[in-house]
Structure formats: structure tokens, C-alpha cells
Amino acid sequence: MPDRLSQEIIIAMVGPVGSGVTTAAEFIRKTLTQEFEYTVPGIIRPADFILAEMHRVSMEPPPKKPLGTYITTLQDAGNRLREKFHGDYLAEKVVEAIVKLRSDLGGASDKADQIPGRRAYIIDSLKNKDELDLLRRLYGKTLFLFGVFAPDDMRKMRLIDKDVADEDEAKKIINRDRGEPLTFGQMTRSVFTESDFFICNDTKVDELERKLRRYIDLVFDVGVHTPTQAESAMHEANSAAVNSACMSRQVGASIVSRNGELIAVGYNDVPKFKGGLYREDNRHVLDLDSMKPAFLDKDHRCYKWGKGVCHNETRRNNIVDKIAEKIKQSKLVGSRISVADIKAAIAGSPVESLIEFSRSIHAEMEAILSVAREGRHSIVGSTLYTTTYPCHNCARHIVAAGISTVVYIEPYDKSLAIELHNDSIAETKSSDKSHVVFHQFDGVSPRIYFELFKLKGARKSAGRAVKPAPKSALPVFRMQLDGISEYESLVLFGLEEKEKAVAVLE
Ligand SMILES: [Zn+2]
């Protein structure tokens, strides 16, 4: 069975224009080919499929310049193709390309003593969550998603320097999705946050290559690599998140002191008397004077408290109901207009973004409070890692607590942190000393952190460090090439043979 595991890997790229996605893809191709002796049959570009198939939605391939119009036309054609042939249409075209490339390279042999060779397929780039979902369902963990990003001003400069756009055009492209810290389309954002590796490409190409090489080494478990402080802290935040029983979402946060010590973690849930949050296990709360158990905690988290409803959502809906009823009662609208009509007319208003009626405190607040509760440490100048971008409520607590930096993975569209606090918060990675800096996480994602960093083989042999050769190294994640029933038959066959042999001896 171990001989029938795949060696193939799929590398998918995601990132906004000008972030260096294509440069990164090219470096990965070169490294895999030259150092890992992998065959990389070209780079698969979904944009080429759009160009080839746009006639199916009655569109013509546009001229390459101006770049803004070219990108918009391709996006438009891509959306129309997805509408017509389902959201994962371009991923299906990717699969078609992989099947063809594999077959050209000798195929996936079904002979038990042969396995498909050392091959990698690089996709530049994914734009849509449906595409990622299909590919992950098919290729599982053998697909690695690389999310490349860079600050907007740097992306603008790159577009101008590479002469793909002039100043005005570059500005237009970067500003297309204003209000996003990194200008993605919203659909692409949702792919990006699913990345296995996040790469901030904001310095020189050498630095980009150093980061990529470290990730490739991790994919093949070559050399000794341990988590950076940011990776470790984000993993802590992500682990804390699973404590949450909130019906809306699970968020985790961790705080690292100025000196790099982990000083707190937090998650979002309902606070309990005497401090802290409810957990699954009910615990005796000590009376602080006698230090004897005073009473047993009861779990009053939302899913089992009262009517088991989400209070934020219920109260928010009540506001909309009341507004609609008031309008109806006021007779400002005709008698044929119902309360339901009014509600339909005001659907999508900012009332739906209200977050203040939640019983839970948020992960960031709990992390800050836990430090105070135990009188542990100063958090002035610390860094807060959070799985989700802070809401405006947490943002003001973060500022007041004296935290210097916030690092996040997922965006949070309802957050007005910047709109309400741009006097004290900035979204940049520069060495801004007059604001709390909020920036995107750069590193190995918590989703594969544990599996990549966990010790897999011996690090030493006869007392000396082992140095595995990239050219024969196997990827950490491999797929079984045959079905479970075939393996079961093999086991049963072996079992029968063994029993027969022993019976003969007896
Ligand atoms: Zn919050």
C-alpha cells in the first residue's frame, strides 16, 4: 500500500494583480524542476480558458491594453461562463488540462508496481471559491494554495514599472474595490483566505524567493523548519477559536508581548459570573475567601440558553419589523403596500450589519480581559493575532489597551474600524509609529500548521543532522491511488494465505 501513494502535487496561486503571483508561480516551477526533479508541464492559466471559451457567451477576446479594460472584460466573461456552466466551470477546465497533461506524460499507471511520476501542476490563478472547492474535493491536501499579496501602492508601482499600465490606468485597477485593505474582488478574497501559505511580497524578489523556498521545503519536509513567531501565534489563535459555541462564527485571538512571549488567548462566547467564558465542562467556582467550591457553573451559552436563539440576529430582525410596522401605521404608504413589502424594500440596509446585541464577547476582548483578570502582564506595545479582522467595537478596545499591531487572516466586511478610527488605526505594513497597524497575516496557515511542522522522520543519524536530498524527497501529503475496497481485498487475501499456511503446518 505505501507504494501506491501519489507523488503528484497541485500548486494553485491566488492574489490580486500586481502582487507578484506570476513571478511566484515561475519561481516555484523553476525550483521544483531544477532542485526537486519534478516535471512541471507548463503553467495552467484559467484566463486562457476564458479567452478560448468566451465565444460561448457571445464575447470576443479583448486587446491586451488598456489593462484595466482587459481585466474587466475577462472578469465579465468569466462570470458569464460561470453563470451559464456553473461556478466551478473554470476548475473543470483545469481538471481537463491536468488529465491531458498527465496522459501526455505517460499517465497514471494502474499497474500495482508503478506510480505516477514526480509531477506538479501549477495553476495561475484561482478567482472563485467554487473553483477551489472542486479542486480541493478532488485533490485533497495534495493541492497547496499560495496566496500572494502586496500593499496597494507597491502593486501600482509594479504595474507602471513593468509598463503594463500607465499611472491613471494603474490607479483605476487598484481602486476598483475601494474599502478593501488589499484590493481583491470579493469572490477572490474568499479564495485567498483559504490559502495554505500567505506571502507578503512587499520587498525585494530575493525575499519573495526565500519565503517560497521555505514553503516548498515544508511541502517536502526537507531541512529543519520551525514556525515563525507569527505562525505560532496565529496557530494559538486558531486553536482558541474552536472553544467557541457561538452560532454565528468561531473566532480566536492571541496576544504576544513586546518581547515575543505569548501572554493571552481568547475566543468569542458568553461571559460567566466571576470572570471568563462558559465552557462545555461545568466547573466549581471557588469562593475567594474560603477557597472552597461556592457553586457549580451552569452552561448558559446561547445555543442552550433561553430559547436557543442568536440574540443579535433576533433583535436586529425585530428592529426591521418595528420600522416596517411603523411605516405601515403612519399611512405614508398606500393600503396595498404590506408590511412584508416594506421589509423587502429596506432589505440589505446597514441595520443588517448591527452587531451590538450579541451576548458573546469577542475573541480580541476576551484575550485582553484575560490578561487583566490574572494580573499577568502589560499589553502595551504587544501584537494581537486574530483569525478574523477586528470589528469596530474590538478595534477601539485594542487601541485603548495600547496594542501596537494587529495581524488577521479573514476579512470582516461589517467592521468600521478604519472608518471610525483612522486617527489611531492604519492598514499598512510600514513602520507607522503613530497608529495601531492592522495587517494581513504572512506565513503558513493554521489550516496545515500542525501537519507541516510536526516531526515526521528522524532529524539525526549517528548523531549527525540528516540532510534529505530535495531530488528524492516525497511530498508530506500523498493520496492513495486505489479504492479502499481494493486494499481490503489485498488484506483479506494475505490473511487467507497466512491462515492456510499455518493450518498446513499444524
Ligand atoms: Zn469584535
PDB file of all heavy atoms in Angstrom, residues 135-166:
ATOM      1  N   LEU A 135     -11.541  21.677  -6.743  1.00  0.00           N
ATOM      2  CA  LEU A 135     -10.168  21.157  -6.804  1.00  0.00           C
ATOM      3  C   LEU A 135      -9.759  20.515  -5.483  1.00  0.00           C
ATOM      4  O   LEU A 135      -9.095  19.480  -5.462  1.00  0.00           O
ATOM      5  CB  LEU A 135      -9.199  22.266  -7.211  1.00  0.00           C
ATOM      6  CG  LEU A 135      -9.427  22.824  -8.631  1.00  0.00           C
ATOM      7  CD1 LEU A 135      -8.524  24.023  -8.893  1.00  0.00           C
ATOM      8  CD2 LEU A 135      -9.177  21.766  -9.696  1.00  0.00           C
ATOM      9  N   ARG A 136     -10.197  21.115  -4.364  1.00  0.00           N
ATOM     10  CA  ARG A 136      -9.849  20.515  -3.063  1.00  0.00           C
ATOM     11  C   ARG A 136     -10.588  19.205  -2.843  1.00  0.00           C
ATOM     12  O   ARG A 136     -10.041  18.276  -2.236  1.00  0.00           O
ATOM     13  CB  ARG A 136     -10.138  21.495  -1.914  1.00  0.00           C
ATOM     14  CG  ARG A 136      -9.020  22.500  -1.710  1.00  0.00           C
ATOM     15  CD  ARG A 136      -8.822  22.860  -0.228  1.00  0.00           C
ATOM     16  NE  ARG A 136      -7.584  23.625  -0.080  1.00  0.00           N
ATOM     17  CZ  ARG A 136      -7.502  24.814   0.496  1.00  0.00           C
ATOM     18  NH1 ARG A 136      -8.604  25.376   0.995  1.00  0.00           N
ATOM     19  NH2 ARG A 136      -6.348  25.425   0.601  1.00  0.00           N
ATOM     20  N   ARG A 137     -11.832  19.128  -3.337  1.00  0.00           N
ATOM     21  CA  ARG A 137     -12.566  17.859  -3.202  1.00  0.00           C
ATOM     22  C   ARG A 137     -11.833  16.757  -3.965  1.00  0.00           C
ATOM     23  O   ARG A 137     -11.741  15.631  -3.511  1.00  0.00           O
ATOM     24  CB  ARG A 137     -13.995  18.002  -3.739  1.00  0.00           C
ATOM     25  CG  ARG A 137     -15.009  18.497  -2.707  1.00  0.00           C
ATOM     26  CD  ARG A 137     -16.441  18.135  -3.100  1.00  0.00           C
ATOM     27  NE  ARG A 137     -16.848  18.680  -4.372  1.00  0.00           N
ATOM     28  CZ  ARG A 137     -17.278  19.912  -4.566  1.00  0.00           C
ATOM     29  NH1 ARG A 137     -17.369  20.743  -3.546  1.00  0.00           N
ATOM     30  NH2 ARG A 137     -17.621  20.336  -5.761  1.00  0.00           N
ATOM     31  N   LEU A 138     -11.314  17.117  -5.128  1.00  0.00           N
ATOM     32  CA  LEU A 138     -10.634  16.131  -5.975  1.00  0.00           C
ATOM     33  C   LEU A 138      -9.238  15.783  -5.454  1.00  0.00           C
ATOM     34  O   LEU A 138      -8.887  14.623  -5.327  1.00  0.00           O
ATOM     35  CB  LEU A 138     -10.458  16.719  -7.374  1.00  0.00           C
ATOM     36  CG  LEU A 138     -11.395  16.274  -8.480  1.00  0.00           C
ATOM     37  CD1 LEU A 138     -11.006  16.973  -9.769  1.00  0.00           C
ATOM     38  CD2 LEU A 138     -11.345  14.765  -8.677  1.00  0.00           C
ATOM     39  N   TYR A 139      -8.458  16.805  -5.183  1.00  0.00           N
ATOM     40  CA  TYR A 139      -7.031  16.573  -4.917  1.00  0.00           C
ATOM     41  C   TYR A 139      -6.675  16.618  -3.431  1.00  0.00           C
ATOM     42  O   TYR A 139      -5.516  16.369  -3.068  1.00  0.00           O
ATOM     43  CB  TYR A 139      -6.185  17.575  -5.715  1.00  0.00           C
ATOM     44  CG  TYR A 139      -6.419  17.455  -7.211  1.00  0.00           C
ATOM     45  CD1 TYR A 139      -7.012  18.485  -7.935  1.00  0.00           C
ATOM     46  CD2 TYR A 139      -6.077  16.287  -7.891  1.00  0.00           C
ATOM     47  CE1 TYR A 139      -7.253  18.361  -9.300  1.00  0.00           C
ATOM     48  CE2 TYR A 139      -6.320  16.154  -9.252  1.00  0.00           C
ATOM     49  CZ  TYR A 139      -6.910  17.189  -9.950  1.00  0.00           C
ATOM     50  OH  TYR A 139      -7.152  17.058 -11.290  1.00  0.00           O
ATOM     51  N   GLY A 140      -7.650  16.943  -2.591  1.00  0.00           N
ATOM     52  CA  GLY A 140      -7.420  16.958  -1.143  1.00  0.00           C
ATOM     53  C   GLY A 140      -6.222  17.810  -0.770  1.00  0.00           C
ATOM     54  O   GLY A 140      -6.007  18.887  -1.320  1.00  0.00           O
ATOM     55  N   LYS A 141      -5.413  17.266   0.153  1.00  0.00           N
ATOM     56  CA  LYS A 141      -4.285  18.046   0.668  1.00  0.00           C
ATOM     57  C   LYS A 141      -3.105  18.066  -0.280  1.00  0.00           C
ATOM     58  O   LYS A 141      -2.099  18.724   0.001  1.00  0.00           O
ATOM     59  CB  LYS A 141      -3.869  17.495   2.021  1.00  0.00           C
ATOM     60  CG  LYS A 141      -4.863  17.887   3.078  1.00  0.00           C
ATOM     61  CD  LYS A 141      -4.402  17.456   4.429  1.00  0.00           C
ATOM     62  CE  LYS A 141      -5.278  18.084   5.484  1.00  0.00           C
ATOM     63  NZ  LYS A 141      -5.046  17.485   6.786  1.00  0.00           N
ATOM     64  N   THR A 142      -3.183  17.313  -1.383  1.00  0.00           N
ATOM     65  CA  THR A 142      -2.077  17.389  -2.343  1.00  0.00           C
ATOM     66  C   THR A 142      -2.159  18.693  -3.143  1.00  0.00           C
ATOM     67  O   THR A 142      -1.285  18.984  -3.946  1.00  0.00           O
ATOM     68  CB  THR A 142      -2.056  16.182  -3.302  1.00  0.00           C
ATOM     69  OG1 THR A 142      -3.239  16.207  -4.104  1.00  0.00           O
ATOM     70  CG2 THR A 142      -1.998  14.874  -2.537  1.00  0.00           C
ATOM     71  N   LEU A 143      -3.228  19.467  -2.928  1.00  0.00           N
ATOM     72  CA  LEU A 143      -3.306  20.802  -3.524  1.00  0.00           C
ATOM     73  C   LEU A 143      -2.844  21.818  -2.485  1.00  0.00           C
ATOM     74  O   LEU A 143      -3.343  21.839  -1.357  1.00  0.00           O
ATOM     75  CB  LEU A 143      -4.737  21.122  -3.959  1.00  0.00           C
ATOM     76  CG  LEU A 143      -4.935  22.497  -4.612  1.00  0.00           C
ATOM     77  CD1 LEU A 143      -5.967  22.402  -5.736  1.00  0.00           C
ATOM     78  CD2 LEU A 143      -5.375  23.568  -3.625  1.00  0.00           C
ATOM     79  N   PHE A 144      -1.874  22.634  -2.862  1.00  0.00           N
ATOM     80  CA  PHE A 144      -1.376  23.687  -1.969  1.00  0.00           C
ATOM     81  C   PHE A 144      -1.740  25.034  -2.573  1.00  0.00           C
ATOM     82  O   PHE A 144      -1.409  25.316  -3.728  1.00  0.00           O
ATOM     83  CB  PHE A 144       0.148  23.581  -1.815  1.00  0.00           C
ATOM     84  CG  PHE A 144       0.585  22.320  -1.132  1.00  0.00           C
ATOM     85  CD1 PHE A 144       0.866  21.180  -1.874  1.00  0.00           C
ATOM     86  CD2 PHE A 144       0.665  22.242   0.251  1.00  0.00           C
ATOM     87  CE1 PHE A 144       1.249  20.000  -1.255  1.00  0.00           C
ATOM     88  CE2 PHE A 144       1.052  21.062   0.882  1.00  0.00           C
ATOM     89  CZ  PHE A 144       1.347  19.941   0.128  1.00  0.00           C
ATOM     90  N   LEU A 145      -2.423  25.846  -1.755  1.00  0.00           N
ATOM     91  CA  LEU A 145      -2.842  27.160  -2.249  1.00  0.00           C
ATOM     92  C   LEU A 145      -1.891  28.238  -1.721  1.00  0.00           C
ATOM     93  O   LEU A 145      -1.712  28.374  -0.511  1.00  0.00           O
ATOM     94  CB  LEU A 145      -4.282  27.441  -1.795  1.00  0.00           C
ATOM     95  CG  LEU A 145      -4.906  28.749  -2.266  1.00  0.00           C
ATOM     96  CD1 LEU A 145      -5.017  28.797  -3.791  1.00  0.00           C
ATOM     97  CD2 LEU A 145      -6.298  28.944  -1.651  1.00  0.00           C
ATOM     98  N   PHE A 146      -1.275  28.969  -2.644  1.00  0.00           N
ATOM     99  CA  PHE A 146      -0.341  30.045  -2.294  1.00  0.00           C
ATOM    100  C   PHE A 146      -1.035  31.395  -2.489  1.00  0.00           C
ATOM    101  O   PHE A 146      -1.376  31.745  -3.619  1.00  0.00           O
ATOM    102  CB  PHE A 146       0.908  29.988  -3.199  1.00  0.00           C
ATOM    103  CG  PHE A 146       1.874  28.888  -2.858  1.00  0.00           C
ATOM    104  CD1 PHE A 146       1.549  27.551  -3.066  1.00  0.00           C
ATOM    105  CD2 PHE A 146       3.124  29.188  -2.333  1.00  0.00           C
ATOM    106  CE1 PHE A 146       2.444  26.531  -2.756  1.00  0.00           C
ATOM    107  CE2 PHE A 146       4.034  28.182  -2.019  1.00  0.00           C
ATOM    108  CZ  PHE A 146       3.690  26.846  -2.218  1.00  0.00           C
ATOM    109  N   GLY A 147      -1.234  32.133  -1.423  1.00  0.00           N
ATOM    110  CA  GLY A 147      -1.866  33.462  -1.500  1.00  0.00           C
ATOM    111  C   GLY A 147      -0.806  34.553  -1.450  1.00  0.00           C
ATOM    112  O   GLY A 147      -0.131  34.712  -0.442  1.00  0.00           O
ATOM    113  N   VAL A 148      -0.649  35.261  -2.559  1.00  0.00           N
ATOM    114  CA  VAL A 148       0.371  36.310  -2.633  1.00  0.00           C
ATOM    115  C   VAL A 148      -0.313  37.668  -2.536  1.00  0.00           C
ATOM    116  O   VAL A 148      -1.349  37.890  -3.151  1.00  0.00           O
ATOM    117  CB  VAL A 148       1.156  36.218  -3.971  1.00  0.00           C
ATOM    118  CG1 VAL A 148       2.312  37.202  -3.991  1.00  0.00           C
ATOM    119  CG2 VAL A 148       1.660  34.797  -4.195  1.00  0.00           C
ATOM    120  N   PHE A 149       0.261  38.571  -1.747  1.00  0.00           N
ATOM    121  CA  PHE A 149      -0.327  39.914  -1.654  1.00  0.00           C
ATOM    122  C   PHE A 149       0.768  40.945  -1.468  1.00  0.00           C
ATOM    123  O   PHE A 149       1.912  40.620  -1.153  1.00  0.00           O
ATOM    124  CB  PHE A 149      -1.351  39.990  -0.519  1.00  0.00           C
ATOM    125  CG  PHE A 149      -0.767  39.772   0.866  1.00  0.00           C
ATOM    126  CD1 PHE A 149      -0.478  40.859   1.691  1.00  0.00           C
ATOM    127  CD2 PHE A 149      -0.499  38.493   1.338  1.00  0.00           C
ATOM    128  CE1 PHE A 149       0.061  40.660   2.964  1.00  0.00           C
ATOM    129  CE2 PHE A 149       0.040  38.292   2.605  1.00  0.00           C
ATOM    130  CZ  PHE A 149       0.325  39.370   3.416  1.00  0.00           C
ATOM    131  N   ALA A 150       0.410  42.201  -1.711  1.00  0.00           N
ATOM    132  CA  ALA A 150       1.350  43.313  -1.534  1.00  0.00           C
ATOM    133  C   ALA A 150       0.530  44.573  -1.300  1.00  0.00           C
ATOM    134  O   ALA A 150      -0.623  44.640  -1.727  1.00  0.00           O
ATOM    135  CB  ALA A 150       2.222  43.466  -2.779  1.00  0.00           C
ATOM    136  N   PRO A 151       1.098  45.564  -0.628  1.00  0.00           N
ATOM    137  CA  PRO A 151       0.351  46.806  -0.411  1.00  0.00           C
ATOM    138  C   PRO A 151      -0.044  47.453  -1.745  1.00  0.00           C
ATOM    139  O   PRO A 151       0.670  47.318  -2.742  1.00  0.00           O
ATOM    140  CB  PRO A 151       1.348  47.701   0.337  1.00  0.00           C
ATOM    141  CG  PRO A 151       2.356  46.775   0.897  1.00  0.00           C
ATOM    142  CD  PRO A 151       2.428  45.617  -0.027  1.00  0.00           C
ATOM    143  N   ASP A 152      -1.165  48.157  -1.737  1.00  0.00           N
ATOM    144  CA  ASP A 152      -1.702  48.742  -2.972  1.00  0.00           C
ATOM    145  C   ASP A 152      -0.704  49.665  -3.685  1.00  0.00           C
ATOM    146  O   ASP A 152      -0.573  49.623  -4.904  1.00  0.00           O
ATOM    147  CB  ASP A 152      -2.989  49.519  -2.664  1.00  0.00           C
ATOM    148  CG  ASP A 152      -4.143  48.571  -2.357  1.00  0.00           C
ATOM    149  OD1 ASP A 152      -3.943  47.337  -2.484  1.00  0.00           O
ATOM    150  OD2 ASP A 152      -5.225  49.049  -1.996  1.00  0.00           O
ATOM    151  N   ASP A 153       0.007  50.514  -2.909  1.00  0.00           N
ATOM    152  CA  ASP A 153       0.911  51.465  -3.583  1.00  0.00           C
ATOM    153  C   ASP A 153       2.045  50.720  -4.299  1.00  0.00           C
ATOM    154  O   ASP A 153       2.489  51.124  -5.375  1.00  0.00           O
ATOM    155  CB  ASP A 153       1.452  52.519  -2.603  1.00  0.00           C
ATOM    156  CG  ASP A 153       2.011  51.903  -1.331  1.00  0.00           C
ATOM    157  OD1 ASP A 153       1.785  50.691  -1.112  1.00  0.00           O
ATOM    158  OD2 ASP A 153       2.673  52.622  -0.552  1.00  0.00           O
ATOM    159  N   MET A 154       2.481  49.611  -3.710  1.00  0.00           N
ATOM    160  CA  MET A 154       3.544  48.825  -4.333  1.00  0.00           C
ATOM    161  C   MET A 154       3.050  48.122  -5.600  1.00  0.00           C
ATOM    162  O   MET A 154       3.747  48.066  -6.616  1.00  0.00           O
ATOM    163  CB  MET A 154       4.038  47.798  -3.329  1.00  0.00           C
ATOM    164  CG  MET A 154       5.366  47.222  -3.689  1.00  0.00           C
ATOM    165  SD  MET A 154       6.092  46.455  -2.256  1.00  0.00           S
ATOM    166  CE  MET A 154       6.703  47.867  -1.371  1.00  0.00           C
ATOM    167  N   ARG A 155       1.821  47.637  -5.555  1.00  0.00           N
ATOM    168  CA  ARG A 155       1.246  46.979  -6.737  1.00  0.00           C
ATOM    169  C   ARG A 155       1.101  47.988  -7.872  1.00  0.00           C
ATOM    170  O   ARG A 155       1.365  47.672  -9.027  1.00  0.00           O
ATOM    171  CB  ARG A 155      -0.114  46.378  -6.385  1.00  0.00           C
ATOM    172  CG  ARG A 155       0.008  45.187  -5.437  1.00  0.00           C
ATOM    173  CD  ARG A 155      -1.341  44.752  -4.908  1.00  0.00           C
ATOM    174  NE  ARG A 155      -2.304  44.698  -5.983  1.00  0.00           N
ATOM    175  CZ  ARG A 155      -3.591  45.016  -5.849  1.00  0.00           C
ATOM    176  NH1 ARG A 155      -4.068  45.417  -4.696  1.00  0.00           N
ATOM    177  NH2 ARG A 155      -4.392  44.934  -6.869  1.00  0.00           N
ATOM    178  N   LYS A 156       0.714  49.201  -7.502  1.00  0.00           N
ATOM    179  CA  LYS A 156       0.556  50.252  -8.521  1.00  0.00           C
ATOM    180  C   LYS A 156       1.905  50.527  -9.195  1.00  0.00           C
ATOM    181  O   LYS A 156       2.002  50.577 -10.424  1.00  0.00           O
ATOM    182  CB  LYS A 156       0.025  51.530  -7.856  1.00  0.00           C
ATOM    183  CG  LYS A 156      -0.484  52.543  -8.849  1.00  0.00           C
ATOM    184  CD  LYS A 156      -1.083  53.738  -8.147  1.00  0.00           C
ATOM    185  CE  LYS A 156      -0.024  54.811  -8.009  1.00  0.00           C
ATOM    186  NZ  LYS A 156      -0.457  55.957  -7.224  1.00  0.00           N
ATOM    187  N   MET A 157       2.960  50.647  -8.370  1.00  0.00           N
ATOM    188  CA  MET A 157       4.301  50.913  -8.906  1.00  0.00           C
ATOM    189  C   MET A 157       4.742  49.788  -9.848  1.00  0.00           C
ATOM    190  O   MET A 157       5.311  50.039 -10.902  1.00  0.00           O
ATOM    191  CB  MET A 157       5.330  51.036  -7.770  1.00  0.00           C
ATOM    192  CG  MET A 157       5.311  52.321  -6.999  1.00  0.00           C
ATOM    193  SD  MET A 157       5.256  53.772  -8.066  1.00  0.00           S
ATOM    194  CE  MET A 157       6.828  53.559  -8.925  1.00  0.00           C
ATOM    195  N   ARG A 158       4.453  48.547  -9.448  1.00  0.00           N
ATOM    196  CA  ARG A 158       4.870  47.405 -10.277  1.00  0.00           C
ATOM    197  C   ARG A 158       4.191  47.436 -11.638  1.00  0.00           C
ATOM    198  O   ARG A 158       4.820  47.159 -12.659  1.00  0.00           O
ATOM    199  CB  ARG A 158       4.529  46.088  -9.573  1.00  0.00           C
ATOM    200  CG  ARG A 158       5.481  45.786  -8.449  1.00  0.00           C
ATOM    201  CD  ARG A 158       5.313  44.343  -7.978  1.00  0.00           C
ATOM    202  NE  ARG A 158       6.090  44.174  -6.759  1.00  0.00           N
ATOM    203  CZ  ARG A 158       5.607  43.691  -5.619  1.00  0.00           C
ATOM    204  NH1 ARG A 158       4.358  43.303  -5.543  1.00  0.00           N
ATOM    205  NH2 ARG A 158       6.381  43.583  -4.562  1.00  0.00           N
ATOM    206  N   LEU A 159       2.905  47.774 -11.643  1.00  0.00           N
ATOM    207  CA  LEU A 159       2.171  47.819 -12.919  1.00  0.00           C
ATOM    208  C   LEU A 159       2.781  48.874 -13.826  1.00  0.00           C
ATOM    209  O   LEU A 159       2.921  48.669 -15.036  1.00  0.00           O
ATOM    210  CB  LEU A 159       0.687  48.120 -12.672  1.00  0.00           C
ATOM    211  CG  LEU A 159      -0.117  47.025 -11.962  1.00  0.00           C
ATOM    212  CD1 LEU A 159      -1.549  47.478 -11.719  1.00  0.00           C
ATOM    213  CD2 LEU A 159      -0.127  45.742 -12.791  1.00  0.00           C
ATOM    214  N   ILE A 160       3.169  50.017 -13.228  1.00  0.00           N
ATOM    215  CA  ILE A 160       3.749  51.094 -14.032  1.00  0.00           C
ATOM    216  C   ILE A 160       5.157  50.708 -14.496  1.00  0.00           C
ATOM    217  O   ILE A 160       5.485  50.830 -15.674  1.00  0.00           O
ATOM    218  CB  ILE A 160       3.779  52.414 -13.229  1.00  0.00           C
ATOM    219  CG1 ILE A 160       2.340  52.845 -12.892  1.00  0.00           C
ATOM    220  CG2 ILE A 160       4.500  53.521 -14.003  1.00  0.00           C
ATOM    221  CD1 ILE A 160       2.217  53.918 -11.849  1.00  0.00           C
ATOM    222  N   ASP A 161       5.969  50.182 -13.560  1.00  0.00           N
ATOM    223  CA  ASP A 161       7.353  49.803 -13.897  1.00  0.00           C
ATOM    224  C   ASP A 161       7.418  48.757 -15.004  1.00  0.00           C
ATOM    225  O   ASP A 161       8.286  48.791 -15.856  1.00  0.00           O
ATOM    226  CB  ASP A 161       8.075  49.237 -12.662  1.00  0.00           C
ATOM    227  CG  ASP A 161       8.417  50.341 -11.676  1.00  0.00           C
ATOM    228  OD1 ASP A 161       8.225  51.524 -12.045  1.00  0.00           O
ATOM    229  OD2 ASP A 161       8.835  50.023 -10.550  1.00  0.00           O
ATOM    230  N   LYS A 162       6.477  47.801 -14.936  1.00  0.00           N
ATOM    231  CA  LYS A 162       6.510  46.729 -15.940  1.00  0.00           C
ATOM    232  C   LYS A 162       5.824  47.173 -17.231  1.00  0.00           C
ATOM    233  O   LYS A 162       5.640  46.364 -18.152  1.00  0.00           O
ATOM    234  CB  LYS A 162       5.839  45.475 -15.389  1.00  0.00           C
ATOM    235  CG  LYS A 162       6.687  44.760 -14.361  1.00  0.00           C
ATOM    236  CD  LYS A 162       6.112  43.402 -14.027  1.00  0.00           C
ATOM    237  CE  LYS A 162       7.027  42.662 -13.082  1.00  0.00           C
ATOM    238  NZ  LYS A 162       6.372  41.527 -12.466  1.00  0.00           N
ATOM    239  N   ASP A 163       5.405  48.437 -17.248  1.00  0.00           N
ATOM    240  CA  ASP A 163       4.789  49.023 -18.431  1.00  0.00           C
ATOM    241  C   ASP A 163       3.535  48.266 -18.887  1.00  0.00           C
ATOM    242  O   ASP A 163       3.246  48.175 -20.070  1.00  0.00           O
ATOM    243  CB  ASP A 163       5.827  49.072 -19.577  1.00  0.00           C
ATOM    244  CG  ASP A 163       5.396  50.092 -20.638  1.00  0.00           C
ATOM    245  OD1 ASP A 163       4.693  51.052 -20.258  1.00  0.00           O
ATOM    246  OD2 ASP A 163       5.742  49.892 -21.812  1.00  0.00           O
ATOM    247  N   VAL A 164       2.832  47.662 -17.927  1.00  0.00           N
ATOM    248  CA  VAL A 164       1.569  47.035 -18.309  1.00  0.00           C
ATOM    249  C   VAL A 164       0.413  48.024 -18.161  1.00  0.00           C
ATOM    250  O   VAL A 164      -0.670  47.808 -18.682  1.00  0.00           O
ATOM    251  CB  VAL A 164       1.257  45.753 -17.492  1.00  0.00           C
ATOM    252  CG1 VAL A 164       2.089  44.585 -17.964  1.00  0.00           C
ATOM    253  CG2 VAL A 164       1.442  45.979 -16.014  1.00  0.00           C
ATOM    254  N   ALA A 165       0.674  49.125 -17.443  1.00  0.00           N
ATOM    255  CA  ALA A 165      -0.365  50.148 -17.299  1.00  0.00           C
ATOM    256  C   ALA A 165       0.302  51.496 -17.040  1.00  0.00           C
ATOM    257  O   ALA A 165       1.400  51.549 -16.483  1.00  0.00           O
ATOM    258  CB  ALA A 165      -1.277  49.791 -16.128  1.00  0.00           C
ATOM    259  N   ASP A 166      -0.353  52.587 -17.479  1.00  0.00           N
ATOM    260  CA  ASP A 166       0.180  53.905 -17.119  1.00  0.00           C
ATOM    261  C   ASP A 166      -0.394  54.301 -15.757  1.00  0.00           C
ATOM    262  O   ASP A 166      -1.220  53.587 -15.178  1.00  0.00           O
ATOM    263  CB  ASP A 166      -0.108  54.944 -18.208  1.00  0.00           C
ATOM    264  CG  ASP A 166      -1.601  55.123 -18.457  1.00  0.00           C
ATOM    265  OD1 ASP A 166      -2.395  54.846 -17.528  1.00  0.00           O
ATOM    266  OD2 ASP A 166      -1.970  55.504 -19.580  1.00  0.00           O
TER     267      ASP A 166
END
